[in-house]
Amino acid sequence: MEGNYVFRANARWTGARNGTVEAASQAPPVDFSAPPEFQGEAGKWTPEHFLLAAAAACFITTFRAIAELSKFSAEALEVAAEGRMGKAENGIRFTQIVLRPLLTIRNPADRERALRLLEKAERSCLVSRSLRSEVRMEPDVRSAAAEASAA
């Protein structure tokens, strides 16, 4: 893969500890909340769930790409993701994410090869490899009163 790739998402606060997020890729927006454990609304996606979903989805797409390049046929793949949070020096953070892929194959003789490809996907998943990447803020603060008078 050559070059640099840029992906964008936008989140907007909608009240209380809720919001909506959308990808710049024209995907439908998703409502979210803080988790109930942090005074959020039950029954909604949370940032914590987004992180786990990103890791699981990345694992699947990475495995599929590796399997296709390796001419390996799988019947089905499901990935359960579990994240554990705990206190760290800078506050609460994810201390561990466990991915549990369930791969269904046609031929039992392909089991060892399947395990090797799963391990390769684990090492190659972009999201998992990026979890300690820098997160930088570039703030912009505006006055609603100033914007109303400019209109």
Side-chain angles (χ1 to χ4, degrees):
M1 220 157 65
E2 291 184 34
N4 292 320
Y5 300 90
V6 176
F7 296 88
R8 291 182 175 82
N10 296 308
R12 183 173 41 87
W13 171 55
T14 59
R17 295 191 182 198
N18 300 326
T20 187
V21 66
E22 53 190 42
S25 65
Q26 309 282 324
V30 178
D31 292 333
F32 67 89
S33 180
E37 297 85 347
F38 300 120
Q39 292 75 50
E41 193 176 322
K44 290 194 175 192
W45 277 87
T46 68
E48 294 78 4
H49 290 116
F50 287 144
L51 179 65
L52 296 175
C58 182
F59 186 92
I60 287 175
T61 58
T62 301
F63 177 82
R64 287 301 312 144
I66 290 169
E68 286 173 23
L69 289 171
S70 302
K71 299 186 180 359
F72 182 83
S73 179
E75 294 292 303
L77 175 60
E78 294 181 28
V79 178
E82 178 180 272
R84 298 195 179 269
M85 296 178 78
K87 289 187 180 182
E89 56 202 40
N90 295 332
I92 296 175
R93 71 175 193 87
F94 277 97
T95 56
Q96 182 181 57
I97 294 176
V98 178
L99 300 179
R100 294 187 179 95
L102 172 59
L103 180 65
T104 304
I105 58 175
R106 216 176 268 154
N107 185 351
D110 289 338
R111 186 177 188 283
E112 289 304 315
R113 185 169 176 224
L115 285 170
R116 284 193 308 274
L117 294 174
L118 287 167
E119 289 168 0
K120 189 171 184 178
E122 178 188 24
R123 289 189 310 271
S124 302
C125 174
L126 173 70
V127 170
S128 296
R129 288 190 335 221
S130 300
L131 287 177
R132 291 203 154 244
S133 66
E134 173 189 9
V135 176
R136 191 181 67 198
M137 180 181 67
E138 296 176 352
D140 180 5
V141 178
R142 299 177 185 184
S143 166
E147 288 195 19
S149 65

